[in-house]
């Protein structure tokens, strides 16, 4: 398994932290792309093949929920696995995301939590 | 009013200490001195929230811990750039706010969080955002974190 990952967050510090956490988690990354909002993420997804997108919810221009809608509505992006990484604490909203086939990682996160969630959503057994 | 202050301050202190520890590897404990720090302030940021209640969370770091907080978040040895330090401060406020709201409003309450906004001083922030409902002060590895929660009933 090798992963091409897109990290979408309006905070550059959080993007860097998440990428470092992905590397510390031991997940096999081949390409890592970054976007500061949903619109930038869509542009990246149209230009590059991506397996996994880690998406914040609260972002300017196009938020994470709007991005998820756009990805889900585009058959060409059906292969992109979506994981929301957010401070969101409302079970109501988290369940709504899960109902749309999106997994969830809560901030603050550990490498182990990120690894477990990504492997589970990809249907890969942890070695 | 003291009961409300206490019922909000306890989860606020817990959410702040957990966030500082898990996000930035900085350990916090209740401050030895009362009141908000007025000297050697590193930065102040506020984050508005809207939902069953609306208000804001205000975070002030002082005593030189902001560069350490940002470098820990980024995994750097030296001090990050000032924009990265401001970004880190806002992200910590965002995570504290996202973690404290379910503790005080319940796990099913849905809130929308705003964008972290810098303020020049604590009095300017509290005056602009309204009355403070709870305030906690933490000693953080040689520095200090002052955190306030402004809460207004839903309109």
């Amino acid at each position: 398994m090798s992963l091409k990952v897109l990290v979408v967050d309006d905070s550059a510090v959080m993007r860097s932290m998440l990428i470092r956490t992905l590397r510390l988690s031991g997940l096999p990354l081949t390409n890592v792309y970054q976007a500061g909002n949903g619109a930038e993420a869509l542009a990246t997804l149209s230009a590059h093949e991506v397996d996994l997108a880690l998406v914040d919810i609260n972002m300017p221009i196009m938020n994470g929920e709007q991005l998820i809608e756009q990805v889900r509505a585009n058959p060409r992006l059906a292969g992109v696995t979506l994981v929301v990484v957010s401070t969101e604490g409302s079970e109501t909203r988290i369940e709504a995301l899960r109902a749309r086939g999106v997994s969830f990682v809560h901030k603050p996160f550990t490498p182990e939590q990120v690894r477990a969630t990504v492997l589970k959503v990809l249907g890969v057994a942890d070695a | 009013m003291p009961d409300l202050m206490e019922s909000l301050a306890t989860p606020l202190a817990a959410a702040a200490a957990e966030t500082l520890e898990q996000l930035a590897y900085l350990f916090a404990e209740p401050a030895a001195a009362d009141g908000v720090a007025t000297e050697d302030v590193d930065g102040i940021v506020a984050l508005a929230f809207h939902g069953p209640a609306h208000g804001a969370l205000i975070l002030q770091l002082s005593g030189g811990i902001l560069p350490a907080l940002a470098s820990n978040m980024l995994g750097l040895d030296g001090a990050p750039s000032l924009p990265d330090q401001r970004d880190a401060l806002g992200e910590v406020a965002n995570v504290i706010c996202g973690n404290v709201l379910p503790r005080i409003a319940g796990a099913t309450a849905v809130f929308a969080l705003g964008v972290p906004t810098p303020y020049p001083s604590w009095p300017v922030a509290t005056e602009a955002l309204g009355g403070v409902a709870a305030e906690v002060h933490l000693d953080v590895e040689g520095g200090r974190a002052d955190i306030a929660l402004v809460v207004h009933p839903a309109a």
Side-chain angles (χ1 to χ4, degrees), chain A residues 9-14 16-17 20-21 24 56 58 60 87-93 106-109 111, chain B residues 18-19 22-25 72-75 84 87-88 91 94-95 98-99 102 107-113:
Chain A
D9 198 305
D10 58 327
S11 162
V13 167
M14 186 51 70
S16 296
M17 195 174 174
R20 190 163 63 97
T21 301
L24 286 171
D56 187 21
N58 292 316
T87 60
E88 182 60 58
S90 164
E91 286 178 6
T92 306
R93 202 179 239 167
H106 194 264
K107 293 177 186 175
F109 43 73
Chain B
E18 287 170 18
T19 299
Q22 294 173 23
L23 202 65
Y25 314 110
N72 285 0
M73 289 175 73
L74 288 165
D84 278 351
D87 187 353
E91 199 57 27
N94 182 34
V95 175
N99 279 277
T108 58
V110 178
F111 287 93
L113 304 188

Side-chain angles (χ1 to χ4, degrees), chain B residues 30-118:
Chain B
D34 287 337
V36 176
T38 56
E39 295 179 352
D40 201 12
V41 173
D42 298 327
I44 306 168
V45 70
L47 190 82
F49 58 83
H50 302 278
H54 70 275
L57 180 134
I58 307 169
L59 170 65
Q60 171 180 286
L61 297 184
S62 55
I65 57 167
L66 179 54
L69 174 137
S71 65
N72 285 0
M73 289 175 73
L74 288 165
L76 302 175
D77 290 329
S81 67
L82 290 177
D84 278 351
Q85 291 183 35
R86 284 194 289 269
D87 187 353
L89 179 65
E91 199 57 27
V92 168
N94 182 34
V95 175
I96 294 172
C97 192
N99 279 277
V100 75
L101 290 174
R103 300 180 193 210
I104 60 179
T108 58
V110 178
F111 287 93
L113 304 188
V115 176
T117 304

Side-chain angles (χ1 to χ4, degrees), chain A residues 3 26 69 83 86-87 98 104 114:
Chain A
L3 290 174
E69 269 181 37
V83 174
S86 168
T87 60
R98 289 197 170 119
F104 184 82
V114 172

Side-chain angles (χ1 to χ4, degrees), chain A residues 2 8 23 32-34 50 57 63-64 68 71 74 89-90 99 118 123:
Chain A
S2 62
V8 192
R23 295 205 164 107
V32 179
Y33 306 101
Q34 299 186 44
V50 169
I57 289 291
N63 68 31
I68 289 164
V71 171
N74 186 341
S90 164
V118 168

Side-chain angles (χ1 to χ4, degrees), chain A residues 23-83:
Chain A
R23 295 205 164 107
L24 286 171
S25 78
L27 289 166
L29 311 176
T30 51
N31 297 74
V32 179
Y33 306 101
Q34 299 186 44
N37 58 61
E40 286 182 11
L42 284 176
T44 303
L45 289 168
S46 71
H48 302 279
E49 187 184 334
V50 169
D51 305 305
L52 172 71
L54 303 176
V55 180
D56 187 21
I57 289 291
N58 292 316
M59 295 182 290
I61 303 173
M62 179 188 288
N63 68 31
E65 287 174 311
Q66 292 168 322
L67 171 63
I68 289 164
E69 269 181 37
Q70 297 267 340
V71 171
R72 286 285 183 255
N74 186 341
R76 208 181 59 75
L77 301 178
V80 180
T81 298
L82 296 167
V83 174

